[in-house]
Amino acid sequence: QVQLVESGGGLGQPGGSLRLSCAASGRISRIYDMGWYRQAPGKQRELVAVMPTSGLTNYADSVLGRFTISRDNDKNTVYLQMNSLKPEDTAVYYCKAFVQSYDYTSSVYWGQGTQVTVSS
């Protein structure tokens, strides 16, 4: 019913920047929270940043001041601007959205993930 498609991952240099995008499509009535999570090899998936419809944001301490989350509600899209990249940012990044469908049911959806590798 709802699909999340991420783009923008790849190889980044330490100290460099990358921008991720996640577009939601399908039978969407309303999107509540949209956010980004990541999972590094051998580690659990962790929150990176989340932005509800209120616009208030929440960041992991490890990315605070370096990453910025934003949303374009008209396009049902969430972005993650990643600056001052570090090797420890290497992970698969997943988009997550809490969506209300046309039938007024609400569910959590995940994207397929996009690989971010930070290396010189």
Side-chain angles (χ1 to χ4, degrees), residues 7-50:
S7 60
L11 178 64
Q13 299 281 333
S17 298
L18 286 173
R19 188 183 192 224
L20 305 183
S21 300
C22 172
S25 62
R27 300 177 60 82
I28 299 171
S29 173
R30 179 180 178 180
I31 301 178
Y32 298 100
D33 295 0
M34 294 191 84
W36 293 93
Y37 290 70
R38 68 186 181 186
Q39 188 167 17
K43 295 188 176 181
Q44 290 188 332
R45 191 172 298 187
E46 63 176 3
L47 170 73
V48 176
V50 63

Side-chain angles (χ1 to χ4, degrees), residues 17-104:
S17 298
L18 286 173
R19 188 183 192 224
L20 305 183
S21 300
C22 172
S25 62
R27 300 177 60 82
I28 299 171
S29 173
R30 179 180 178 180
I31 301 178
Y32 298 100
D33 295 0
M34 294 191 84
W36 293 93
Y37 290 70
R38 68 186 181 186
Q39 188 167 17
K43 295 188 176 181
Q44 290 188 332
R45 191 172 298 187
E46 63 176 3
L47 170 73
V48 176
V50 63
M51 176 180 277
T53 52
S54 66
L56 296 176
T57 56
N58 186 32
Y59 293 94
D61 289 344
S62 59
V63 306
L64 194 61
R66 300 188 298 118
F67 291 8
T68 302
I69 188 172
S70 60
R71 284 175 65 164
D72 185 334
N73 292 323
D74 291 337
K75 296 181 179 180
N76 290 335
T77 299
V78 63
Y79 306 94
L80 186 68
Q81 179 66 44
M82 305 186 293
N83 298 330
S84 302
L85 287 167
K86 301 177 180 181
E88 50 263 43
D89 295 321
T90 296
V92 178
Y93 284 70
Y94 296 91
C95 174
K96 177 184 175 182
F98 185 42
V99 178
Q100 182 184 75
S101 299
Y102 290 154
D103 61 2
Y104 298 103

